[in-house]
Amino acid sequence: MPGKVADFLRTMELEPAERAALDQGVTVRRGQGYTLRVSAVPAVHRQLLARCQPLDGSQGGPAAPARRKARREYENRVGTLTGDTP
């Protein structure tokens, strides 16, 4: 999961399984940012993806392009993991 998504999710109130997945993730530095490698069942990834909808700007608020891209990348990764095509 991109670091921008992980940072956003850490500020939210999450279910215990979602919080545990974030807390147990491994940080991998990537250039200026980082990626959080999260080992969780696909259902938890889908829940986390649903919670980061505001990053897309779809809820009426402005969204930074980098945050939109990070959410889109995570959506693509979850889609690949679950066999869904976004």
Side-chain angles (χ1 to χ4, degrees):
M1 136 183 341
K4 290 190 182 301
V5 172
D7 291 342
F8 175 78
L9 290 171
R10 283 192 176 111
T11 65
M12 298 190 69
E13 193 170 318
L14 301 173
E15 297 292 324
E18 297 168 339
R19 179 65 58 194
L22 278 180
D23 291 344
Q24 294 173 1
V26 177
T27 301
V28 178
R29 297 295 299 167
R30 299 281 183 193
Q32 295 179 9
Y34 71 97
T35 297
L36 186 68
R37 296 213 175 160
V38 178
S39 296
V41 295
V44 171
H45 282 288
R46 280 192 226 104
Q47 290 171 328
L48 291 170
L49 182 60
R51 289 190 186 273
C52 64
Q53 279 293 99
L55 292 177
D56 212 15
S58 59
Q59 310 232 333
R67 286 183 160 196
R68 279 196 309 265
K69 181 180 178 188
R71 189 201 169 280
R72 203 171 46 246
E73 285 179 9
Y74 185 47
E75 183 177 30
N76 290 339
R77 292 176 192 174
V78 170
T80 300
L81 173 72
T82 61
D84 300 336
T85 52

Coordinates of all heavy atoms in Angstrom, one line a residue:
M1 N 0.8 -1.2 0.0 CA 0.0 0.0 0.0 C 0.9 1.2 0.0 O 1.9 1.3 0.7 CB -0.9 -0.1 1.2 CG -1.1 1.1 2.0 SD -2.1 1.0 3.5 CE -3.0 -0.5 3.3
P2 N 0.6 2.2 -0.8 CA 1.4 3.4 -0.9 C 1.4 4.2 0.5 O 0.4 4.1 1.2 CB 0.7 4.3 -1.9 CG 0.0 3.3 -2.8 CD -0.4 2.2 -1.9
G3 N 2.4 4.8 0.8 CA 2.6 5.5 2.1 C 1.5 6.6 2.3 O 1.0 6.7 3.5
K4 N 1.1 7.3 1.3 CA 0.1 8.3 1.5 C -1.3 7.7 1.9 O -2.0 8.2 2.7 CB -0.1 9.1 0.2 CG 1.0 10.0 -0.1 CD 0.7 10.9 -1.3 CE 1.9 11.8 -1.6 NZ 2.3 12.6 -0.6
V5 N -1.6 6.5 1.4 CA -2.8 5.8 1.8 C -2.6 5.3 3.3 O -3.5 5.5 4.1 CB -3.1 4.6 0.9 CG1 -4.2 3.8 1.4 CG2 -3.4 5.1 -0.5
A6 N -1.5 4.8 3.6 CA -1.2 4.3 4.9 C -1.3 5.4 6.0 O -1.9 5.3 7.0 CB 0.1 3.6 5.0
D7 N -0.7 6.6 5.6 CA -0.8 7.7 6.5 C -2.2 8.2 6.8 O -2.6 8.5 7.9 CB 0.0 8.9 6.0 CG 1.5 8.6 6.0 OD1 2.0 7.7 6.7 OD2 2.3 9.3 5.2
F8 N -3.0 8.2 5.7 CA -4.4 8.6 5.8 C -5.2 7.6 6.7 O -5.9 8.0 7.6 CB -5.1 8.7 4.4 CG -6.5 9.0 4.5 CD1 -7.0 10.2 4.7 CD2 -7.5 8.0 4.3 CE1 -8.3 10.5 4.7 CE2 -8.8 8.2 4.3 CZ -9.3 9.5 4.5
L9 N -5.0 6.3 6.5 CA -5.7 5.3 7.2 C -5.3 5.3 8.7 O -6.2 5.0 9.5 CB -5.5 3.9 6.6 CG -6.2 3.7 5.3 CD1 -5.7 2.4 4.6 CD2 -7.7 3.7 5.4
R10 N -4.1 5.6 9.0 CA -3.7 5.7 10.4 C -4.4 6.7 11.2 O -4.5 6.6 12.4 CB -2.2 5.9 10.5 CG -1.4 4.6 10.2 CD 0.1 4.8 10.5 NE 0.8 3.6 10.3 CZ 1.7 3.4 9.4 NH1 2.0 4.4 8.6 NH2 2.3 2.2 9.2
T11 N -4.9 7.7 10.5 CA -5.7 8.8 11.2 C -7.1 8.5 11.4 O -7.8 9.2 12.1 CB -5.6 10.1 10.5 OG1 -6.2 10.0 9.2 CG2 -4.1 10.6 10.3
M12 N -7.6 7.4 10.9 CA -9.0 7.0 10.9 C -9.2 6.0 12.0 O -8.3 5.3 12.5 CB -9.5 6.4 9.6 CG -9.3 7.4 8.5 SD -10.1 6.7 7.0 CE -11.8 6.8 7.5
E13 N -10.5 5.9 12.4 CA -10.9 4.8 13.4 C -11.2 3.6 12.6 O -12.0 3.6 11.7 CB -12.2 5.3 14.1 CG -12.5 4.4 15.3 CD -13.6 5.0 16.2 OE1 -13.6 6.2 16.4 OE2 -14.4 4.2 16.6
L14 N -10.4 2.5 12.9 CA -10.5 1.3 12.1 C -11.0 0.1 12.9 O -10.9 0.2 14.2 CB -9.1 1.0 11.5 CG -8.5 2.0 10.6 CD1 -7.1 1.6 10.2 CD2 -9.3 2.2 9.3
E15 N -11.4 -0.9 12.2 CA -11.8 -2.2 12.9 C -10.5 -2.8 13.4 O -9.4 -2.5 12.9 CB -12.4 -3.1 11.9 CG -13.8 -2.6 11.4 CD -14.8 -2.5 12.4 OE1 -14.9 -3.4 13.3 OE2 -15.6 -1.6 12.4
P16 N -10.6 -3.7 14.5 CA -9.4 -4.3 15.0 C -8.5 -5.0 14.0 O -7.3 -4.9 14.0 CB -9.9 -5.2 16.1 CG -11.2 -4.6 16.5 CD -11.8 -4.0 15.3
A17 N -9.2 -5.7 13.1 CA -8.4 -6.5 12.0 C -7.7 -5.5 11.1 O -6.5 -5.8 10.7 CB -9.3 -7.4 11.3
E18 N -8.3 -4.4 10.8 CA -7.7 -3.4 9.9 C -6.5 -2.8 10.6 O -5.4 -2.6 10.0 CB -8.7 -2.4 9.5 CG -9.9 -2.9 8.7 CD -11.0 -2.0 8.5 OE1 -11.1 -1.0 9.3 OE2 -11.8 -2.1 7.6
R19 N -6.7 -2.4 11.9 CA -5.7 -1.7 12.6 C -4.5 -2.7 12.8 O -3.3 -2.3 12.6 CB -6.2 -1.3 14.0 CG -5.2 -0.6 14.9 CD -4.6 0.7 14.4 NE -5.7 1.6 14.2 CZ -5.5 2.8 13.5 NH1 -4.4 3.1 13.0 NH2 -6.5 3.6 13.4
A20 N -4.7 -4.0 13.1 CA -3.7 -4.9 13.2 C -2.9 -5.1 11.9 O -1.6 -5.2 12.0 CB -4.2 -6.3 13.7
A21 N -3.6 -5.1 10.8 CA -2.9 -5.2 9.5 C -1.9 -4.1 9.3 O -0.8 -4.2 8.8 CB -3.9 -5.4 8.4
L22 N -2.4 -2.9 9.6 CA -1.5 -1.7 9.4 C -0.4 -1.7 10.4 O 0.8 -1.4 10.0 CB -2.3 -0.4 9.7 CG -3.2 0.1 8.5 CD1 -3.9 1.4 8.9 CD2 -2.4 0.4 7.3
D23 N -0.6 -2.0 11.6 CA 0.4 -2.1 12.6 C 1.5 -3.1 12.3 O 2.7 -2.9 12.7 CB -0.2 -2.3 14.0 CG -1.0 -1.1 14.5 OD1 -0.9 0.0 13.9 OD2 -1.8 -1.3 15.5
Q24 N 1.1 -4.2 11.7 CA 2.1 -5.3 11.4 C 2.8 -5.1 10.1 O 3.6 -5.9 9.7 CB 1.4 -6.6 11.5 CG 0.9 -6.9 12.9 CD 0.1 -8.2 13.0 OE1 -0.1 -8.9 12.0 NE2 -0.3 -8.5 14.2
G25 N 2.4 -4.1 9.3 CA 3.0 -3.9 8.0 C 4.4 -3.5 8.1 O 4.9 -3.0 9.1
V26 N 5.2 -3.8 7.0 CA 6.6 -3.6 6.9 C 6.8 -2.4 6.0 O 6.4 -2.4 4.9 CB 7.3 -4.8 6.4 CG1 8.8 -4.5 6.2 CG2 7.1 -6.0 7.3
T27 N 7.5 -1.4 6.5 CA 7.8 -0.2 5.7 C 9.0 -0.4 4.8 O 10.0 -0.9 5.2 CB 8.1 1.0 6.6 OG1 7.0 1.2 7.5 CG2 8.4 2.3 5.8
V28 N 8.8 -0.1 3.5 CA 9.9 -0.2 2.5 C 10.0 1.2 1.9 O 9.1 1.8 1.3 CB 9.5 -1.2 1.4 CG1 10.6 -1.3 0.3 CG2 9.2 -2.6 2.0
R29 N 11.2 1.8 2.0 CA 11.5 3.1 1.5 C 11.5 3.0 0.0 O 12.1 2.1 -0.7 CB 12.8 3.6 2.0 CG 12.9 3.8 3.4 CD 12.0 4.9 4.0 NE 12.3 6.2 3.4 CZ 11.5 7.2 3.6 NH1 10.4 7.1 4.2 NH2 11.8 8.4 3.1
R30 N 10.9 4.0 -0.7 CA 10.8 4.1 -2.1 C 11.0 5.6 -2.5 O 10.1 6.4 -2.5 CB 9.4 3.7 -2.6 CG 9.0 2.3 -2.3 CD 9.6 1.4 -3.3 NE 9.2 0.0 -3.0 CZ 9.7 -1.0 -3.5 NH1 10.7 -0.9 -4.3 NH2 9.3 -2.2 -3.2
G31 N 12.3 5.9 -2.9 CA 12.6 7.2 -3.3 C 12.2 8.3 -2.2 O 12.8 8.2 -1.2
Q32 N 11.3 9.2 -2.5 CA 10.9 10.2 -1.5 C 9.9 9.7 -0.5 O 9.7 10.3 0.5 CB 10.4 11.4 -2.3 CG 11.4 12.1 -3.1 CD 10.8 13.3 -3.8 OE1 9.7 13.7 -3.5 NE2 11.5 13.9 -4.7
G33 N 9.2 8.6 -0.9 CA 8.1 8.1 0.0 C 8.4 6.7 0.5 O 9.6 6.3 0.6
Y34 N 7.3 6.0 0.7 CA 7.5 4.6 1.2 C 6.3 3.8 0.8 O 5.2 4.4 0.4 CB 7.7 4.5 2.7 CG 6.5 4.9 3.5 CD1 5.7 3.8 4.0 CD2 6.2 6.2 3.9 CE1 4.6 4.1 4.8 CE2 5.1 6.5 4.6 CZ 4.3 5.4 5.1 OH 3.2 5.7 5.9
T35 N 6.4 2.5 0.9 CA 5.4 1.6 0.6 C 5.2 0.8 1.9 O 6.2 0.4 2.5 CB 5.7 0.6 -0.5 OG1 5.8 1.4 -1.7 CG2 4.6 -0.4 -0.7
L36 N 4.0 0.5 2.3 CA 3.8 -0.4 3.5 C 3.3 -1.7 3.0 O 2.3 -1.8 2.3 CB 2.7 0.3 4.4 CG 2.5 -0.4 5.7 CD1 3.7 -0.3 6.6 CD2 1.2 0.1 6.4
R37 N 4.1 -2.8 3.3 CA 3.7 -4.1 2.8 C 2.8 -4.7 3.9 O 3.3 -4.9 5.1 CB 5.0 -5.0 2.6 CG 5.8 -4.4 1.5 CD 6.5 -5.5 0.8 NE 7.1 -4.9 -0.4 CZ 8.1 -5.4 -1.0 NH1 8.5 -6.6 -0.7 NH2 8.6 -4.8 -2.0
V38 N 1.6 -5.0 3.6 CA 0.6 -5.4 4.5 C 0.2 -6.8 4.1 O -0.3 -7.1 3.0 CB -0.6 -4.5 4.5 CG1 -1.7 -5.0 5.4 CG2 -0.2 -3.1 4.9
S39 N 0.3 -7.7 5.1 CA -0.1 -9.1 4.9 C -1.5 -9.3 5.6 O -1.6 -9.2 6.8 CB 0.8 -10.1 5.5 OG 2.1 -10.0 4.9
A40 N -2.5 -9.4 4.7 CA -3.9 -9.5 5.2 C -4.7 -10.2 4.2 O -4.3 -10.3 3.0 CB -4.5 -8.1 5.5
V41 N -5.8 -10.8 4.6 CA -6.7 -11.4 3.7 C -7.3 -10.4 2.8 O -7.4 -9.2 3.1 CB -7.8 -12.2 4.5 CG1 -7.2 -13.4 5.2 CG2 -8.7 -11.3 5.3
P42 N -7.7 -10.8 1.6 CA -8.3 -9.8 0.6 C -9.5 -9.0 1.2 O -9.6 -7.8 0.8 CB -8.7 -10.7 -0.6 CG -7.8 -11.9 -0.5 CD -7.6 -12.1 1.0
A43 N -10.3 -9.6 2.0 CA -11.4 -8.8 2.6 C -11.0 -7.6 3.4 O -11.6 -6.6 3.3 CB -12.3 -9.8 3.4
V44 N -9.9 -7.7 4.1 CA -9.4 -6.6 4.9 C -8.8 -5.5 3.9 O -9.1 -4.3 4.2 CB -8.3 -7.1 5.9 CG1 -7.6 -5.9 6.5 CG2 -8.9 -8.0 6.9
H45 N -8.2 -5.9 2.9 CA -7.7 -5.0 1.9 C -8.9 -4.2 1.2 O -8.8 -3.0 1.0 CB -6.9 -5.6 0.8 CG -5.5 -6.0 1.2 ND1 -4.5 -5.0 1.4 CD2 -4.9 -7.1 1.5 CE1 -3.4 -5.6 1.8 NE2 -3.6 -6.9 1.9
R46 N -9.9 -4.9 0.9 CA -11.1 -4.3 0.4 C -11.7 -3.3 1.3 O -12.2 -2.2 0.9 CB -12.2 -5.3 -0.1 CG -11.8 -5.9 -1.4 CD -13.0 -6.8 -1.9 NE -12.5 -8.0 -2.4 CZ -12.6 -9.2 -1.8 NH1 -13.2 -9.3 -0.6 NH2 -12.1 -10.3 -2.3
Q47 N -11.8 -3.6 2.6 CA -12.3 -2.7 3.6 C -11.4 -1.5 3.7 O -11.9 -0.3 3.8 CB -12.4 -3.4 5.0 CG -13.4 -4.5 5.1 CD -13.3 -5.3 6.4 OE1 -12.2 -5.5 6.9 NE2 -14.5 -5.7 6.9
L48 N -10.1 -1.7 3.8 CA -9.2 -0.5 3.8 C -9.4 0.4 2.6 O -9.4 1.6 2.7 CB -7.8 -1.0 4.0 CG -7.4 -1.6 5.3 CD1 -6.0 -2.3 5.2 CD2 -7.5 -0.6 6.4
L49 N -9.5 -0.2 1.4 CA -9.7 0.5 0.2 C -11.0 1.3 0.3 O -11.0 2.5 -0.1 CB -9.7 -0.4 -1.0 CG -9.8 0.2 -2.4 CD1 -8.7 1.1 -2.6 CD2 -9.9 -0.9 -3.4
A50 N -12.0 0.7 0.8 CA -13.3 1.5 0.9 C -13.2 2.7 1.9 O -13.8 3.7 1.6 CB -14.4 0.5 1.4
R51 N -12.4 2.5 2.9 CA -12.2 3.6 3.9 C -11.4 4.8 3.3 O -11.5 5.9 3.8 CB -11.5 3.1 5.1 CG -12.5 2.2 5.9 CD -11.8 1.9 7.3 NE -12.6 0.9 8.0 CZ -13.6 1.2 8.8 NH1 -14.0 2.5 8.9 NH2 -14.3 0.3 9.5
C52 N -10.6 4.5 2.3 CA -9.8 5.6 1.8 C -10.4 6.3 0.6 O -9.7 7.0 -0.2 CB -8.3 5.2 1.5 SG -8.1 3.9 0.3
Q53 N -11.7 6.1 0.4 CA -12.4 6.8 -0.7 C -12.2 8.3 -0.7 O -12.1 8.9 -1.8 CB -13.9 6.5 -0.6 CG -14.3 5.2 -1.2 CD -14.1 5.1 -2.7 OE1 -13.1 4.6 -3.2 NE2 -15.1 5.7 -3.4
P54 N -12.2 9.0 0.5 CA -12.0 10.5 0.4 C -10.8 10.9 -0.3 O -10.7 12.1 -0.7 CB -12.0 10.9 1.9 CG -12.8 9.8 2.6 CD -12.5 8.5 1.8
L55 N -9.8 10.1 -0.4 CA -8.5 10.5 -1.1 C -8.8 10.7 -2.5 O -8.0 11.4 -3.2 CB -7.5 9.4 -0.9 CG -6.9 9.2 0.5 CD1 -5.9 8.0 0.5 CD2 -6.2 10.4 1.0
D56 N -9.8 10.1 -3.1 CA -10.2 10.2 -4.5 C -10.9 11.5 -4.8 O -11.0 11.8 -6.0 CB -11.0 9.0 -4.9 CG -10.8 8.6 -6.3 OD1 -9.8 9.0 -6.9 OD2 -11.7 7.8 -6.8
G57 N -11.3 12.2 -3.8 CA -12.0 13.5 -4.0 C -13.4 13.3 -4.4 O -14.1 14.2 -4.8
S58 N -13.9 12.0 -4.4 CA -15.3 11.7 -4.8 C -16.3 12.2 -3.8 O -17.5 12.1 -4.1 CB -15.4 10.2 -5.1 OG -15.1 9.5 -3.9
Q59 N -16.0 12.6 -2.6 CA -16.9 13.0 -1.6 C -17.1 14.5 -1.5 O -17.5 15.0 -0.5 CB -16.5 12.4 -0.2 CG -16.1 10.9 -0.3 CD -16.8 10.1 0.7 OE1 -17.1 10.6 1.8 NE2 -17.0 8.9 0.4
G60 N -16.9 15.2 -2.6 CA -17.1 16.6 -2.7 C -15.9 17.4 -2.2 O -15.9 18.6 -2.6
G61 N -15.0 16.9 -1.5 CA -13.8 17.7 -1.1 C -12.7 17.6 -2.1 O -12.7 16.7 -2.9
P62 N -11.8 18.6 -2.1 CA -10.7 18.6 -3.0 C -9.7 17.5 -2.6 O -9.6 17.1 -1.5 CB -10.1 20.0 -2.8 CG -10.5 20.3 -1.4 CD -11.8 19.7 -1.2
A63 N -9.1 16.9 -3.6 CA -8.1 15.9 -3.4 C -6.8 16.2 -4.1 O -6.9 16.7 -5.3 CB -8.6 14.5 -3.9
A64 N -5.7 16.0 -3.5 CA -4.4 16.3 -4.1 C -4.2 15.2 -5.1 O -4.5 14.0 -4.9 CB -3.3 16.3 -3.0
P65 N -3.6 15.6 -6.3 CA -3.3 14.6 -7.3 C -2.5 13.4 -6.8 O -2.7 12.3 -7.2 CB -2.5 15.4 -8.4 CG -3.0 16.8 -8.2 CD -3.2 16.9 -6.7
A66 N -1.5 13.7 -5.9 CA -0.7 12.6 -5.4 C -1.5 11.6 -4.6 O -1.3 10.4 -4.7 CB 0.5 13.1 -4.6
R67 N -2.4 12.1 -3.8 CA -3.3 11.2 -3.0 C -4.2 10.4 -3.9 O -4.5 9.2 -3.7 CB -4.1 12.0 -2.0 CG -3.2 12.5 -0.9 CD -4.1 13.2 0.1 NE -3.4 13.3 1.4 CZ -4.0 13.5 2.5 NH1 -5.2 13.8 2.6 NH2 -3.3 13.6 3.6
R68 N -4.7 11.0 -4.9 CA -5.6 10.3 -5.9 C -4.8 9.2 -6.6 O -5.3 8.1 -6.7 CB -6.2 11.3 -6.9 CG -7.3 12.1 -6.5 CD -8.1 12.7 -7.7 NE -7.3 13.4 -8.6 CZ -7.1 14.7 -8.6 NH1 -7.6 15.5 -7.7 NH2 -6.3 15.3 -9.5
K69 N -3.6 9.5 -7.0 CA -2.8 8.5 -7.6 C -2.5 7.3 -6.7 O -2.5 6.2 -7.0 CB -1.5 9.1 -8.1 CG -0.6 8.1 -8.9 CD 0.6 8.7 -9.4 CE 1.5 7.7 -10.0 NZ 2.8 8.2 -10.4
A70 N -2.1 7.7 -5.4 CA -1.8 6.6 -4.4 C -3.0 5.7 -4.2 O -2.9 4.5 -4.1 CB -1.4 7.3 -3.1
R71 N -4.2 6.3 -4.1 CA -5.4 5.5 -3.9 C -5.7 4.6 -5.1 O -6.0 3.4 -5.0 CB -6.6 6.4 -3.6 CG -7.8 5.5 -3.2 CD -9.1 6.2 -3.4 NE -10.2 5.2 -3.2 CZ -10.6 4.4 -4.1 NH1 -10.0 4.3 -5.3 NH2 -11.6 3.5 -3.9
R72 N -5.5 5.2 -6.3 CA -5.7 4.4 -7.5 C -4.7 3.3 -7.6 O -5.1 2.2 -8.0 CB -5.5 5.4 -8.7 CG -6.2 4.9 -10.0 CD -6.2 6.0 -11.1 NE -4.9 6.7 -11.3 CZ -4.7 7.9 -11.0 NH1 -5.6 8.7 -10.6 NH2 -3.5 8.5 -11.2
E73 N -3.4 3.5 -7.2 CA -2.4 2.4 -7.3 C -2.8 1.3 -6.3 O -2.7 0.1 -6.6 CB -1.1 3.0 -6.9 CG -0.4 3.8 -7.9 CD 0.9 4.3 -7.5 OE1 1.4 3.9 -6.4 OE2 1.5 5.1 -8.2
Y74 N -3.3 1.7 -5.1 CA -3.7 0.7 -4.1 C -4.9 -0.1 -4.6 O -5.0 -1.3 -4.5 CB -4.0 1.4 -2.8 CG -4.4 0.4 -1.7 CD1 -3.6 -0.7 -1.4 CD2 -5.5 0.6 -0.8 CE1 -3.9 -1.6 -0.4 CE2 -5.8 -0.3 0.2 CZ -5.0 -1.4 0.4 OH -5.3 -2.3 1.4
E75 N -5.9 0.6 -5.3 CA -7.0 0.0 -5.9 C -6.6 -1.1 -6.9 O -7.1 -2.2 -7.0 CB -7.9 1.0 -6.5 CG -9.2 0.4 -7.1 CD -10.1 1.5 -7.6 OE1 -9.6 2.5 -8.1 OE2 -11.4 1.3 -7.6
N76 N -5.6 -0.7 -7.8 CA -5.1 -1.6 -8.8 C -4.5 -2.8 -8.1 O -4.6 -4.0 -8.6 CB -4.1 -0.9 -9.7 CG -4.8 0.1 -10.6 OD1 -6.0 0.0 -10.8 ND2 -4.0 1.0 -11.1
R77 N -3.7 -2.6 -7.1 CA -3.0 -3.7 -6.4 C -4.0 -4.7 -5.7 O -3.9 -5.9 -5.8 CB -2.1 -3.2 -5.3 CG -0.9 -2.5 -5.9 CD 0.0 -1.9 -4.9 NE 1.0 -1.0 -5.4 CZ 1.8 -0.3 -4.7 NH1 1.8 -0.3 -3.4 NH2 2.6 0.5 -5.3
V78 N -5.1 -4.1 -5.1 CA -6.1 -4.9 -4.5 C -6.9 -5.7 -5.6 O -7.2 -6.9 -5.4 CB -7.1 -4.1 -3.6 CG1 -8.3 -4.9 -3.2 CG2 -6.3 -3.5 -2.4
G79 N -7.1 -5.0 -6.7 CA -7.8 -5.7 -7.8 C -7.0 -6.9 -8.3 O -7.6 -7.9 -8.6
T80 N -5.7 -6.7 -8.4 CA -4.8 -7.8 -8.9 C -4.8 -8.9 -7.8 O -4.9 -10.1 -8.2 CB -3.4 -7.3 -9.1 OG1 -3.4 -6.2 -10.0 CG2 -2.5 -8.4 -9.5
L81 N -4.8 -8.6 -6.6 CA -4.8 -9.6 -5.5 C -6.0 -10.4 -5.5 O -6.0 -11.6 -5.3 CB -4.6 -8.8 -4.1 CG -4.7 -9.7 -2.9 CD1 -3.5 -10.6 -2.7 CD2 -4.8 -8.8 -1.6
T82 N -7.2 -9.7 -5.6 CA -8.5 -10.4 -5.5 C -9.0 -11.0 -6.9 O -10.0 -11.7 -6.9 CB -9.5 -9.5 -5.0 OG1 -9.7 -8.4 -5.8 CG2 -9.2 -9.0 -3.6
G83 N -8.3 -10.6 -7.9 CA -8.7 -11.1 -9.3 C -9.7 -10.2 -9.9 O -10.2 -10.5 -11.0
D84 N -10.1 -9.1 -9.3 CA -11.0 -8.2 -9.8 C -10.2 -7.2 -10.7 O -9.1 -6.9 -10.5 CB -11.7 -7.3 -8.7 CG -12.5 -8.2 -7.8 OD1 -12.9 -9.3 -8.1 OD2 -12.7 -7.7 -6.6
T85 N -10.9 -6.7 -11.7 CA -10.3 -5.7 -12.5 C -11.0 -4.4 -12.3 O -12.2 -4.3 -12.5 CB -10.3 -6.0 -14.0 OG1 -11.7 -6.3 -14.4 CG2 -9.4 -7.2 -14.3
P86 N -10.3 -3.3 -11.8 CA -10.9 -2.1 -11.5 C -11.4 -1.3 -12.7 O -11.0 -1.5 -13.8 CB -9.8 -1.3 -10.8 CG -8.5 -2.0 -11.0 CD -8.9 -3.3 -11.5

